[in-house]
Amino acid sequence: MKVHEYQAKAILSAFGIPVPRSGVAATPEEARRIAQDMGGNVVVKAQIHAGGRGMAGGVKAVSSPQEAETVAKGLLGQRLITHQTGPEGAPVNRVLLEEPAQIAKEYYLAVIIDSGARCPVIMASEAGGMEIEEVAATAPEKILRANVDPIIGLQPFQCRNLAYGLNLPADLIRPAAALIANLYKVFEDKDCSLAEINPLAITSDGQLMALDAKLNFDDDALSRHPDIQELRDTGQEDPLEVEASEFGISYVKLDGDVGCMVNGAGLAMATMDSISMADAMPANFLDVGGGATEEQVAQAFKLLISDPQVKRILVNVFGGILRCDVAARGIVAASQETEAKVPIVVRMLGTNADEGKDILAKSGLGVILVNDLNEAALMIKQAASAS
Ligand code: GDP
Ligand code: MN
Protein backbone atom coordinates (compact mmCIF):
# COMPACT_ATOMS: atom_id res chain seq x y z
CA MET A 1 0.00 0.00 0.00
CA LYS A 2 1.15 3.49 -0.82
CA VAL A 3 0.52 6.70 1.12
CA HIS A 4 0.82 10.38 0.34
CA GLU A 5 3.92 12.47 0.95
CA TYR A 6 2.26 14.41 3.79
CA GLN A 7 1.32 11.17 5.56
CA ALA A 8 4.81 9.73 5.08
CA LYS A 9 6.38 12.91 6.43
CA ALA A 10 4.19 12.79 9.56
CA ILE A 11 5.54 9.28 10.23
CA LEU A 12 9.17 10.29 9.55
CA SER A 13 8.77 13.26 11.85
CA ALA A 14 7.43 11.02 14.63
CA PHE A 15 10.65 9.00 14.30
CA GLY A 16 12.83 12.08 14.70
CA ILE A 17 13.58 12.84 11.06
CA PRO A 18 13.46 16.60 10.34
CA VAL A 19 10.81 17.70 7.82
CA PRO A 20 9.68 21.21 6.81
CA ARG A 21 6.87 22.95 8.69
CA SER A 22 3.71 22.35 6.67
CA GLY A 23 -0.05 22.20 6.33
CA VAL A 24 -2.43 20.22 4.10
CA ALA A 25 -5.27 21.79 2.12
CA ALA A 26 -8.21 20.29 0.24
CA THR A 27 -9.53 23.64 -1.08
CA PRO A 28 -7.84 26.77 -2.55
CA GLU A 29 -9.19 28.89 0.35
CA GLU A 30 -7.65 26.53 2.88
CA ALA A 31 -4.37 26.75 0.95
CA ARG A 32 -4.48 30.56 1.19
CA ARG A 33 -5.11 30.47 4.93
CA ILE A 34 -2.27 28.02 5.56
CA ALA A 35 0.10 30.07 3.38
CA GLN A 36 -0.94 33.19 5.33
CA ASP A 37 -0.14 31.49 8.65
CA MET A 38 3.27 30.44 7.32
CA GLY A 39 4.16 33.96 6.20
CA GLY A 40 3.28 33.81 2.49
CA ASN A 41 6.38 32.11 1.09
CA VAL A 42 5.51 28.43 0.60
CA VAL A 43 6.07 25.48 -1.72
CA VAL A 44 2.76 24.05 -2.99
CA LYS A 45 2.96 20.32 -3.68
CA ALA A 46 0.32 18.14 -5.35
CA GLN A 47 -0.39 15.00 -3.31
CA ILE A 48 -0.58 11.91 -5.50
CA HIS A 49 0.73 8.35 -5.11
CA ALA A 50 3.48 8.90 -7.65
CA GLY A 51 6.76 10.70 -8.06
CA GLY A 52 8.01 12.88 -10.87
CA ARG A 53 5.76 15.71 -9.72
CA GLY A 54 8.49 18.32 -9.80
CA MET A 55 9.00 17.99 -13.55
CA ALA A 56 5.26 17.70 -14.20
CA GLY A 57 4.34 21.05 -12.60
CA GLY A 58 3.11 19.52 -9.36
CA VAL A 59 5.64 21.34 -7.14
CA LYS A 60 5.57 25.15 -7.20
CA ALA A 61 7.16 27.82 -5.01
CA VAL A 62 4.95 30.87 -4.39
CA SER A 63 5.49 34.12 -2.49
CA SER A 64 2.03 35.17 -1.32
CA PRO A 65 -1.15 33.61 0.12
CA GLN A 66 -3.01 34.81 -2.99
CA GLU A 67 -0.54 33.04 -5.26
CA ALA A 68 -0.80 29.89 -3.11
CA GLU A 69 -4.56 29.97 -3.62
CA THR A 70 -4.19 30.37 -7.40
CA VAL A 71 -1.68 27.53 -7.70
CA ALA A 72 -3.81 25.29 -5.44
CA LYS A 73 -6.84 26.09 -7.59
CA GLY A 74 -4.92 25.01 -10.69
CA LEU A 75 -3.95 21.68 -9.11
CA LEU A 76 -6.93 20.61 -6.98
CA GLY A 77 -9.57 18.60 -8.80
CA GLN A 78 -7.21 18.01 -11.74
CA ARG A 79 -5.33 14.89 -12.71
CA LEU A 80 -1.58 15.26 -12.63
CA ILE A 81 0.30 13.32 -15.29
CA THR A 82 3.90 12.43 -14.45
CA HIS A 83 6.19 9.87 -16.06
CA GLN A 84 5.24 7.52 -13.22
CA THR A 85 1.44 7.80 -13.48
CA GLY A 86 0.82 6.72 -17.06
CA PRO A 87 -1.21 8.85 -19.49
CA GLU A 88 -4.34 8.84 -17.30
CA GLY A 89 -2.57 10.68 -14.47
CA ALA A 90 -3.60 10.63 -10.81
CA PRO A 91 -6.26 12.80 -9.14
CA VAL A 92 -5.06 15.70 -6.97
CA ASN A 93 -7.41 16.04 -4.00
CA ARG A 94 -4.97 17.63 -1.58
CA VAL A 95 -1.98 19.93 -1.72
CA LEU A 96 0.81 20.14 0.82
CA LEU A 97 2.03 23.64 1.67
CA GLU A 98 5.55 23.75 3.04
CA GLU A 99 7.91 26.32 4.38
CA PRO A 100 10.46 26.66 1.56
CA ALA A 101 13.92 25.29 2.22
CA GLN A 102 17.06 26.92 0.82
CA ILE A 103 18.77 23.89 -0.66
CA ALA A 104 22.59 23.71 -0.54
CA LYS A 105 22.78 20.09 -1.75
CA GLU A 106 20.42 17.20 -2.47
CA TYR A 107 21.03 13.57 -1.47
CA TYR A 108 19.17 10.30 -1.97
CA LEU A 109 18.41 7.89 0.86
CA ALA A 110 16.23 4.78 0.87
CA VAL A 111 15.61 1.42 2.48
CA ILE A 112 14.24 -1.35 0.27
CA ILE A 113 14.12 -5.13 0.26
CA ASP A 114 16.78 -6.59 -2.01
CA SER A 115 15.22 -9.88 -3.05
CA GLY A 116 18.52 -11.04 -4.56
CA ALA A 117 20.41 -10.48 -1.32
CA ARG A 118 17.35 -11.54 0.71
CA CYS A 119 17.60 -8.66 3.13
CA PRO A 120 16.83 -4.97 3.48
CA VAL A 121 19.39 -2.71 1.88
CA ILE A 122 20.14 0.93 2.56
CA MET A 123 20.84 2.93 -0.58
CA ALA A 124 22.39 6.37 -0.39
CA SER A 125 23.73 8.76 -2.99
CA GLU A 126 25.25 12.18 -3.35
CA ALA A 127 23.37 12.45 -6.64
CA GLY A 128 20.01 13.12 -5.03
CA GLY A 129 16.97 15.00 -6.25
CA MET A 130 16.85 13.37 -9.65
CA GLU A 131 15.58 9.92 -10.57
CA ILE A 132 17.65 7.25 -8.85
CA GLU A 133 17.03 4.89 -11.80
CA GLU A 134 18.92 7.34 -14.00
CA VAL A 135 21.82 7.52 -11.53
CA ALA A 136 21.87 3.72 -11.37
CA ALA A 137 22.05 3.53 -15.17
CA THR A 138 24.60 6.28 -15.84
CA ALA A 139 26.73 6.44 -12.68
CA PRO A 140 26.15 3.33 -10.54
CA GLU A 141 29.34 4.05 -8.56
CA LYS A 142 27.52 7.04 -7.05
CA ILE A 143 25.11 4.76 -5.18
CA LEU A 144 26.30 3.42 -1.84
CA ARG A 145 24.71 0.28 -0.47
CA ALA A 146 24.64 -1.41 2.91
CA ASN A 147 22.92 -4.74 3.39
CA VAL A 148 21.16 -5.14 6.71
CA ASP A 149 21.17 -8.49 8.47
CA PRO A 150 17.53 -8.76 9.54
CA ILE A 151 18.47 -10.71 12.68
CA ILE A 152 21.13 -8.40 14.12
CA GLY A 153 19.68 -5.27 12.57
CA LEU A 154 21.35 -2.18 11.17
CA GLN A 155 24.67 -1.56 12.93
CA PRO A 156 25.89 1.93 13.93
CA PHE A 157 29.15 1.46 11.97
CA GLN A 158 27.11 0.91 8.78
CA CYS A 159 25.34 4.24 9.32
CA ARG A 160 28.67 6.01 9.89
CA ASN A 161 30.21 4.38 6.80
CA LEU A 162 27.34 5.60 4.67
CA ALA A 163 27.52 9.10 6.14
CA TYR A 164 31.27 9.32 5.44
CA GLY A 165 30.74 7.85 1.97
CA LEU A 166 28.34 10.68 1.15
CA ASN A 167 31.15 13.21 1.76
CA LEU A 168 29.03 15.16 4.20
CA PRO A 169 30.45 18.10 6.13
CA ALA A 170 32.09 16.83 9.33
CA ASP A 171 29.45 18.28 11.65
CA LEU A 172 26.67 16.43 9.77
CA ILE A 173 28.19 12.93 10.03
CA ARG A 174 26.55 12.19 13.39
CA PRO A 175 23.13 13.67 12.52
CA ALA A 176 23.17 11.82 9.17
CA ALA A 177 24.08 8.50 10.82
CA ALA A 178 21.25 9.03 13.31
CA LEU A 179 18.84 9.90 10.49
CA ILE A 180 19.76 6.73 8.57
CA ALA A 181 19.17 4.66 11.72
CA ASN A 182 15.80 6.38 12.21
CA LEU A 183 14.71 5.73 8.63
CA TYR A 184 15.59 2.07 9.07
CA LYS A 185 13.54 2.04 12.29
CA VAL A 186 10.53 3.39 10.36
CA PHE A 187 11.06 0.69 7.72
CA GLU A 188 11.23 -2.09 10.31
CA ASP A 189 8.58 -0.90 12.78
CA LYS A 190 5.99 -0.11 10.12
CA ASP A 191 6.67 -3.13 7.88
CA CYS A 192 7.55 -1.01 4.85
CA SER A 193 8.52 -2.40 1.48
CA LEU A 194 10.11 0.96 0.63
CA ALA A 195 11.13 3.99 2.68
CA GLU A 196 12.63 6.70 0.50
CA ILE A 197 13.75 10.30 1.00
CA ASN A 198 14.56 12.06 -2.28
CA PRO A 199 15.77 14.68 -1.87
CA LEU A 200 17.31 14.56 1.55
CA ALA A 201 18.63 18.12 1.58
CA ILE A 202 21.30 20.06 3.36
CA THR A 203 19.80 23.49 3.79
CA SER A 204 21.81 26.71 3.47
CA ASP A 205 21.89 26.95 7.26
CA GLY A 206 23.53 23.53 7.42
CA GLN A 207 20.63 21.30 8.51
CA LEU A 208 19.57 17.93 7.15
CA MET A 209 15.93 17.85 6.08
CA ALA A 210 13.62 15.39 4.27
CA LEU A 211 12.08 17.47 1.46
CA ASP A 212 10.24 14.54 -0.08
CA ALA A 213 9.15 11.23 1.43
CA LYS A 214 7.78 8.01 0.05
CA LEU A 215 6.65 5.06 2.16
CA ASN A 216 5.20 1.84 0.75
CA PHE A 217 3.83 -0.79 3.10
CA ASP A 218 3.78 -4.56 2.82
CA ASP A 219 0.10 -5.44 2.26
CA ASP A 220 0.52 -8.76 4.04
CA ALA A 221 1.61 -6.97 7.23
CA LEU A 222 -1.15 -4.34 7.23
CA SER A 223 -3.25 -6.34 9.69
CA ARG A 224 -0.61 -5.42 12.29
CA HIS A 225 -0.98 -1.70 11.58
CA PRO A 226 -4.54 -0.38 11.89
CA ASP A 227 -3.11 3.17 12.00
CA ILE A 228 -1.48 2.68 8.59
CA GLN A 229 -4.62 1.07 7.13
CA GLU A 230 -6.47 4.30 7.91
CA LEU A 231 -4.11 6.21 5.61
CA ARG A 232 -5.28 4.32 2.53
CA ASP A 233 -6.57 6.54 -0.29
CA THR A 234 -8.42 4.28 -2.73
CA GLY A 235 -8.99 7.27 -5.02
CA GLN A 236 -5.34 6.87 -6.06
CA GLU A 237 -5.66 3.17 -6.86
CA ASP A 238 -6.90 1.32 -9.94
CA PRO A 239 -10.73 1.08 -9.50
CA LEU A 240 -10.79 -2.57 -10.57
CA GLU A 241 -8.06 -3.45 -8.08
CA VAL A 242 -9.97 -1.68 -5.31
CA GLU A 243 -13.14 -3.62 -6.18
CA ALA A 244 -11.20 -6.90 -6.25
CA SER A 245 -9.68 -6.27 -2.83
CA GLU A 246 -13.19 -5.74 -1.44
CA PHE A 247 -14.15 -9.24 -2.63
CA GLY A 248 -10.93 -10.79 -1.37
CA ILE A 249 -9.80 -11.55 -4.92
CA SER A 250 -6.16 -11.18 -5.81
CA TYR A 251 -6.17 -9.06 -8.99
CA VAL A 252 -3.50 -6.97 -10.66
CA LYS A 253 -4.23 -4.92 -13.76
CA LEU A 254 -1.78 -5.39 -16.64
CA ASP A 255 -1.39 -3.94 -20.14
CA GLY A 256 -2.50 -6.72 -22.52
CA ASP A 257 -5.90 -7.78 -23.88
CA VAL A 258 -6.23 -11.41 -22.69
CA GLY A 259 -8.25 -11.44 -19.48
CA CYS A 260 -7.32 -14.44 -17.35
CA MET A 261 -8.99 -16.16 -14.46
CA VAL A 262 -7.08 -18.87 -12.65
CA ASN A 263 -7.24 -20.61 -9.28
CA GLY A 264 -3.90 -20.44 -7.55
CA ALA A 265 -1.10 -17.89 -7.88
CA GLY A 266 1.47 -20.31 -9.32
CA LEU A 267 -0.95 -21.56 -11.96
CA ALA A 268 -1.88 -17.96 -12.73
CA MET A 269 1.79 -17.13 -13.36
CA ALA A 270 2.20 -20.21 -15.57
CA THR A 271 -0.95 -19.24 -17.47
CA MET A 272 0.38 -15.74 -18.06
CA ASP A 273 3.62 -17.29 -19.38
CA SER A 274 1.60 -19.44 -21.80
CA ILE A 275 -0.25 -16.37 -23.01
CA SER A 276 3.05 -14.58 -23.60
CA MET A 277 4.40 -17.58 -25.49
CA ALA A 278 1.36 -17.39 -27.76
CA ASP A 279 2.52 -13.85 -28.67
CA ALA A 280 -0.31 -12.30 -26.65
CA MET A 281 -0.31 -10.20 -23.50
CA PRO A 282 -2.31 -10.82 -20.31
CA ALA A 283 -4.71 -8.02 -19.32
CA ASN A 284 -4.48 -8.99 -15.69
CA PHE A 285 -3.32 -11.38 -13.04
CA LEU A 286 -6.32 -12.92 -11.29
CA ASP A 287 -6.22 -15.61 -8.65
CA VAL A 288 -9.69 -16.53 -7.37
CA GLY A 289 -8.06 -18.63 -4.68
CA GLY A 290 -8.59 -22.19 -3.54
CA GLY A 291 -11.83 -22.01 -1.60
CA ALA A 292 -13.74 -19.64 -3.88
CA THR A 293 -17.53 -19.89 -3.95
CA GLU A 294 -19.75 -19.62 -7.04
CA GLU A 295 -20.42 -15.97 -6.10
CA GLN A 296 -16.72 -15.18 -5.82
CA VAL A 297 -16.01 -16.78 -9.20
CA ALA A 298 -18.87 -14.76 -10.68
CA GLN A 299 -17.52 -11.55 -9.10
CA ALA A 300 -14.06 -12.28 -10.40
CA PHE A 301 -15.37 -12.96 -13.88
CA LYS A 302 -17.47 -9.78 -13.93
CA LEU A 303 -14.45 -7.80 -12.80
CA LEU A 304 -12.45 -9.30 -15.61
CA ILE A 305 -14.94 -8.44 -18.35
CA SER A 306 -15.60 -4.96 -17.02
CA ASP A 307 -12.06 -4.07 -18.13
CA PRO A 308 -12.62 -2.48 -21.58
CA GLN A 309 -9.14 -3.60 -22.63
CA VAL A 310 -10.13 -7.28 -22.44
CA LYS A 311 -10.76 -8.67 -25.95
CA ARG A 312 -10.53 -12.42 -25.18
CA ILE A 313 -10.60 -14.51 -22.03
CA LEU A 314 -8.65 -17.51 -20.85
CA VAL A 315 -9.93 -19.46 -17.86
CA ASN A 316 -7.60 -22.06 -16.41
CA VAL A 317 -9.03 -24.03 -13.50
CA PHE A 318 -7.40 -26.96 -11.82
CA GLY A 319 -10.17 -28.31 -9.66
CA GLY A 320 -8.98 -29.17 -6.18
CA ILE A 321 -10.61 -27.40 -3.31
CA LEU A 322 -12.40 -25.27 -5.90
CA ARG A 323 -14.63 -27.68 -7.81
CA CYS A 324 -14.88 -27.22 -11.58
CA ASP A 325 -18.69 -27.29 -11.56
CA VAL A 326 -18.70 -24.42 -9.04
CA ALA A 327 -16.33 -22.43 -11.26
CA ALA A 328 -18.47 -23.19 -14.34
CA ARG A 329 -21.68 -22.02 -12.63
CA GLY A 330 -19.95 -18.83 -11.55
CA ILE A 331 -18.76 -18.12 -15.09
CA VAL A 332 -22.19 -18.80 -16.58
CA ALA A 333 -23.96 -16.60 -14.01
CA ALA A 334 -21.55 -13.71 -14.59
CA SER A 335 -21.69 -14.00 -18.40
CA GLN A 336 -25.47 -14.02 -18.48
CA GLU A 337 -25.62 -10.98 -16.26
CA THR A 338 -23.11 -8.99 -18.28
CA GLU A 339 -23.84 -10.40 -21.76
CA ALA A 340 -20.15 -10.79 -22.48
CA LYS A 341 -19.33 -10.78 -26.17
CA VAL A 342 -15.65 -11.70 -26.11
CA PRO A 343 -14.37 -15.21 -26.95
CA ILE A 344 -13.89 -17.38 -23.85
CA VAL A 345 -11.37 -20.22 -23.84
CA VAL A 346 -11.61 -22.61 -20.89
CA ARG A 347 -9.33 -25.34 -19.70
CA MET A 348 -10.67 -27.39 -16.81
CA LEU A 349 -9.10 -30.33 -15.04
CA GLY A 350 -9.55 -32.05 -11.70
CA THR A 351 -12.52 -32.37 -9.38
CA ASN A 352 -15.84 -32.49 -11.27
CA ALA A 353 -14.17 -31.36 -14.51
CA ASP A 354 -16.64 -33.26 -16.69
CA GLU A 355 -19.62 -31.74 -14.90
CA GLY A 356 -18.05 -28.28 -15.21
CA LYS A 357 -17.40 -28.66 -18.93
CA ASP A 358 -20.91 -29.96 -19.42
CA ILE A 359 -22.37 -26.87 -17.72
CA LEU A 360 -20.29 -24.61 -19.96
CA ALA A 361 -21.07 -26.55 -23.14
CA LYS A 362 -24.82 -26.34 -22.49
CA SER A 363 -24.74 -22.69 -21.42
CA GLY A 364 -25.06 -21.31 -24.95
CA LEU A 365 -22.09 -19.01 -24.27
CA GLY A 366 -20.02 -20.46 -27.12
CA VAL A 367 -17.21 -21.31 -24.72
CA ILE A 368 -14.20 -22.92 -26.41
CA LEU A 369 -13.19 -25.92 -24.28
CA VAL A 370 -9.61 -27.08 -24.50
CA ASN A 371 -7.67 -29.87 -22.83
CA ASP A 372 -4.25 -28.44 -22.15
CA LEU A 373 -2.34 -25.19 -22.00
CA ASN A 374 -0.77 -25.55 -25.47
CA GLU A 375 -4.20 -25.87 -26.99
CA ALA A 376 -5.38 -22.96 -24.86
CA ALA A 377 -2.55 -20.78 -26.19
CA LEU A 378 -3.39 -21.78 -29.76
CA MET A 379 -7.05 -20.89 -29.28
CA ILE A 380 -6.12 -17.55 -27.74
CA LYS A 381 -4.07 -16.82 -30.86
CA GLN A 382 -7.00 -17.75 -33.12
CA ALA A 383 -9.41 -15.69 -31.04
CA ALA A 384 -7.12 -12.71 -31.70
CA SER A 385 -7.13 -13.13 -35.46
CA ALA A 386 -10.90 -13.68 -35.44
CA SER A 387 -11.68 -10.53 -33.45
P1 GDP B 1 8.86 14.57 -6.91
O1 GDP B 1 9.29 15.27 -8.16
O2 GDP B 1 7.48 14.00 -7.03
O3 GDP B 1 9.87 13.58 -6.42
O4 GDP B 1 8.71 15.71 -5.79
P2 GDP B 1 9.77 16.34 -4.76
O5 GDP B 1 9.10 16.52 -3.47
O6 GDP B 1 11.04 15.55 -4.73
O7 GDP B 1 10.03 17.78 -5.36
C1 GDP B 1 10.76 17.97 -6.59
C2 GDP B 1 11.87 18.95 -6.41
O8 GDP B 1 11.36 20.20 -5.95
C3 GDP B 1 12.91 18.55 -5.34
O9 GDP B 1 13.90 17.70 -5.86
C4 GDP B 1 13.46 19.90 -4.92
O10 GDP B 1 14.55 20.25 -5.78
C5 GDP B 1 12.30 20.84 -5.14
N1 GDP B 1 11.73 21.21 -3.84
C6 GDP B 1 10.86 20.51 -3.08
N2 GDP B 1 10.60 21.14 -1.92
C7 GDP B 1 11.35 22.27 -1.93
C8 GDP B 1 11.57 23.36 -1.02
O11 GDP B 1 11.03 23.42 0.06
N3 GDP B 1 12.42 24.35 -1.43
C9 GDP B 1 13.06 24.31 -2.63
N4 GDP B 1 13.87 25.30 -2.96
N5 GDP B 1 12.89 23.31 -3.49
C10 GDP B 1 12.06 22.31 -3.16
MN1 MN C 1 11.25 13.40 -4.91
Side-chain angles (χ1 to χ4, degrees):
M1 188 187 100
K2 295 180 179 176
V3 296
H4 289 292
E5 175 192 6
Y6 76 92
Q7 297 165 322
K9 278 179 168 162
I11 294 172
L12 295 191
S13 177
F15 279 73
I17 296 175
V19 299
R21 204 158 66 92
S22 68
V24 181
T27 66
E29 297 71 41
E30 227 179 318
R32 175 165 45 82
R33 237 177 299 127
I34 292 168
Q36 181 108 48
D37 290 346
M38 295 204 305
N41 278 325
V42 290
V43 179
V44 186
K45 306 181 79 176
Q47 297 299 288
I48 55 169
H49 283 186
R53 297 164 304 163
M55 282 182 279
V59 178
K60 285 181 181 149
V62 301
S63 50
S64 73
Q66 184 51 48
E67 216 187 323
E69 180 174 347
T70 309
V71 167
K73 203 169 187 168
L75 289 170
L76 289 165
Q78 303 297 315
R79 296 184 78 89
L80 185 66
I81 302 167
T82 80
H83 67 92
Q84 286 187 11
T85 60
E88 71 282 3
V92 183
N93 296 319
R94 284 189 172 72
V95 291
L96 177 65
L97 298 114
E98 285 190 332
E99 198 161 68
Q102 300 305 317
I103 302 173
K105 187 162 178 182
E106 296 185 329
Y107 298 82
Y108 177 91
L109 180 65
V111 189
I112 55 160
I113 301 277
D114 182 335
S115 50
R118 300 185 199 166
C119 65
V121 58
I122 317 269
M123 290 173 60
S125 178
E126 266 187 274
M130 61 170 110
E131 293 297 311
I132 198 67
E133 290 81 1
E134 203 182 308
V135 182
T138 57
E141 73 285 354
K142 286 192 179 145
I143 301 177
L144 310 174
R145 298 168 56 98
N147 288 2
V148 183
D149 185 313
I151 307 295
I152 62 169
L154 179 64
Q155 297 298 298
F157 80 87
Q158 295 183 294
C159 300
R160 286 194 299 272
N161 272 351
L162 288 165
Y164 279 112
L166 289 173
N167 295 314
L168 292 161
D171 62 326
L172 285 181
I173 298 289
R174 271 169 191 275
L179 193 149
I180 294 167
N182 286 337
L183 187 65
Y184 186 73
K185 194 161 170 36
V186 171
F187 182 88
E188 199 173 35
D189 282 15
K190 301 292 180 189
D191 289 314
C192 294
S193 51
L194 169 75
E196 181 187 77
I197 303 176
N198 188 29
L200 170 66
I202 299 186
T203 59
S204 53
D205 57 349
Q207 305 292 315
L208 283 169
M209 192 167 267
L211 290 192
D212 190 10
K214 190 169 178 183
L215 295 180
N216 294 351
F217 300 90
D218 181 347
D219 291 339
D220 291 326
L222 279 176
S223 59
R224 299 205 283 219
H225 303 285
D227 54 329
I228 304 289
Q229 284 176 43
E230 276 174 29
L231 305 180
R232 185 168 175 198
D233 179 358
T234 51
Q236 297 286 325
E237 299 172 20
D238 182 281
L240 290 178
E241 290 187 9
V242 174
E243 208 183 323
S245 72
E246 279 161 16
F247 296 121
I249 299 163
S250 171
Y251 172 93
V252 181
K253 178 84 187 79
L254 301 168
D255 295 330
D257 67 0
V258 184
C260 21
M261 186 171 81
V262 188
N263 64 323
L267 191 59
M269 302 290 270
T271 306
M272 286 166 32
D273 283 350
S274 305
I275 292 170
S276 301
M277 286 189 280
D279 298 324
M281 290 266 286
N284 63 275
F285 167 94
L286 198 169
D287 170 16
V288 281
T293 61
E294 186 182 318
E295 287 70 33
Q296 272 172 312
V297 172
Q299 283 300 352
F301 202 76
K302 274 191 264 181
L303 201 89
L304 186 71
I305 5 189
S306 63
D307 176 357
Q309 245 167 278
V310 168
K311 300 284 179 276
R312 38 202 167 136
I313 290 174
L314 174 58
V315 176
N316 189 11
V317 173
F318 197 96
I321 304 171
L322 169 66
R323 292 173 1 225
C324 290
D325 61 307
V326 171
R329 282 194 197 93
I331 293 168
V332 172
S335 306
Q336 282 166 349
E337 210 174 301
T338 53
E339 294 172 20
K341 291 282 180 292
V342 295
I344 305 170
V345 178
V346 179
R347 179 237 191 184
M348 265 183 183
L349 267 188
T351 313
N352 294 0
D354 291 340
E355 195 183 337
K357 287 187 209 170
D358 198 46
I359 291 168
L360 290 171
K362 289 179 179 153
S363 67
L365 290 173
V367 171
I368 305 157
L369 290 165
V370 295
N371 295 312
D372 58 41
L373 267 182
N374 287 336
E375 213 182 318
L378 200 71
M379 284 303 163
I380 280 297
K381 243 183 193 168
Q382 287 181 5
S385 45
S387 60

